[in-house]
Amino acid sequence: LNMSTVRPEPVEGLCFDRLSTNELANKSGRISNASRPLKVMMLGLRGFPGVQGGVETHAEHLCPLLVEMGCDVTVLARSPYQPAEIGRVWKGVKFVPLWAPKSKGLEAILHSFLGVLYAAIKRPDVLHIQAIGPAIMTLPARLLGLRVVVTHHGPDYDRQKWGRFARWVLQTGERFGIARDKLHLGGP
């Protein structure tokens, strides 16, 4: 499946429809008369375009499509990986580079923690977490009042490169990320 040629059908209530006054009041406690695009903040990836990884490739195709559908999309990228030559906006997608150590065991969890704190300050309509490792921050994000969607790209804990503790973190992230009533499985 070539994601660059896929154009999703309009889905009522997703990006095409603007948030209504009632939705704004229910979410923030304040009433606004102005309709605005759905604000989607994405977390759990290194960055894009041109950054190696399946999650990154997925987001590289998905984010511009969400922009085309009328969403206001911001990606919280890991600063060591986000190509500087891309700048702060690419195909309508905004990038916020946040610090992350280049460390296999700490990179995703620390970046995700900082990303949730950033999202709690910026208050997007949806925090879209990519993958089950970063999904361990789903519970703190929800406790901070954020609406969270998690895309499960696969059972990373089955990969031999992870030790016992890392596998536990990934499995816990999977439980936190899919414990709610909605599940989004990535892939064709």
Side-chain angles (χ1 to χ4, degrees):
L1 180 64
N2 182 351
M3 288 298 292
S4 64
T5 60
V6 172
R7 291 292 181 256
E9 294 297 316
V11 177
E12 187 176 331
L14 175 68
C15 302
F16 288 95
D17 297 337
R18 303 301 183 212
L19 291 175
S20 70
T21 302
N22 288 338
E23 287 171 303
L24 288 172
N26 289 339
K27 193 166 69 63
S28 67
R30 294 174 302 201
I31 295 177
S32 170
N33 291 328
S35 65
R36 60 178 177 72
L38 184 70
K39 291 183 180 183
V40 177
M41 189 169 284
M42 200 166 288
L43 175 65
L45 59 148
R46 291 184 178 109
F48 63 82
V51 177
Q52 182 181 359
V55 172
E56 289 72 21
T57 301
H58 169 80
E60 183 176 337
H61 293 291
L62 175 64
C63 290
L65 292 174
L66 290 173
V67 169
E68 285 179 24
M69 294 169 63
C71 294
D72 178 356
V73 179
T74 302
V75 172
L76 303 180
R78 298 178 196 166
S79 60
Y81 297 96
Q82 182 59 29
E85 64 274 9
I86 298 304
R88 297 287 183 152
V89 179
W90 177 80
K91 293 188 177 183
V93 179
K94 300 171 195 161
F95 293 98
V96 175
L98 295 179
W99 175 83
K102 260 190 154 175
S103 164
K104 181 176 86 168
L106 297 174
E107 176 183 309
I109 191 83
L110 288 176
H111 183 264
S112 299
F113 175 73
L114 294 174
V116 166
L117 294 178
Y118 183 87
I121 293 167
K122 294 297 185 178
R123 310 306 299 174
D125 298 310
V126 176
L127 177 62
H128 187 172
I129 299 177
Q130 298 290 322
I132 59 174
I136 198 162
M137 291 297 151
T138 302
L139 181 60
R142 288 187 174 133
L143 290 172
L144 290 168
L146 297 169
R147 291 180 177 172
V148 181
V149 172
V150 174
T151 298
H152 188 313
H153 292 274
D156 290 337
Y157 45 79
D158 284 344
R159 295 184 182 166
Q160 290 190 2
K161 70 178 184 175
W162 299 116
R164 186 184 320 208
F165 180 72
R167 282 195 304 272
W168 176 83
V169 168
L170 291 166
Q171 290 169 335
T172 302
E174 180 181 58
R175 281 192 296 278
F176 285 178
I178 65 171
R180 301 293 285 204
D181 58 345
K182 295 184 181 179
L183 170 65
H184 176 212
L185 295 172

